[in-house]
Amino acid sequence: VVGKLPKPSYPGNESGKVVVDVTVDASGRVTYASYRAQGSTTNSKRLVDAAGEAARKARFSSSESLMQTGTITYVFTLE
């Protein structure tokens, strides 16, 4: 990761873990972000959308590979 992972907006009184599959291009930009049910503890549209939006803003180190894949996990907690 270049810098810190962007923090998702926190929409409302919901909690849970959202796993997002990401594809990163050679320049380090996220070109694809999609909710992954496996490993997630919620499928709340609001949390899934917030996690996906934050994941698409993430930046990674450039690479000689054309693309890389991985996951980003966001944990939403009530304070």
Side-chain angles (χ1 to χ4, degrees), residues 17-63:
K17 179 169 61 170
V18 177
V19 179
V20 180
D21 287 321
V22 294
T23 301
V24 179
D25 67 14
S27 67
R29 295 189 179 275
V30 174
T31 58
Y32 174 81
S34 179
Y35 168 72
R36 175 190 273 198
Q38 183 179 6
S40 295
T41 61
T42 182
N43 63 355
S44 162
K45 179 168 174 33
R46 290 171 21 160
L47 297 182
V48 168
D49 288 350
E53 184 178 323
R56 282 186 286 280
K57 293 177 184 175
R59 296 294 176 258
F60 296 86
S61 300
S62 57
S63 169

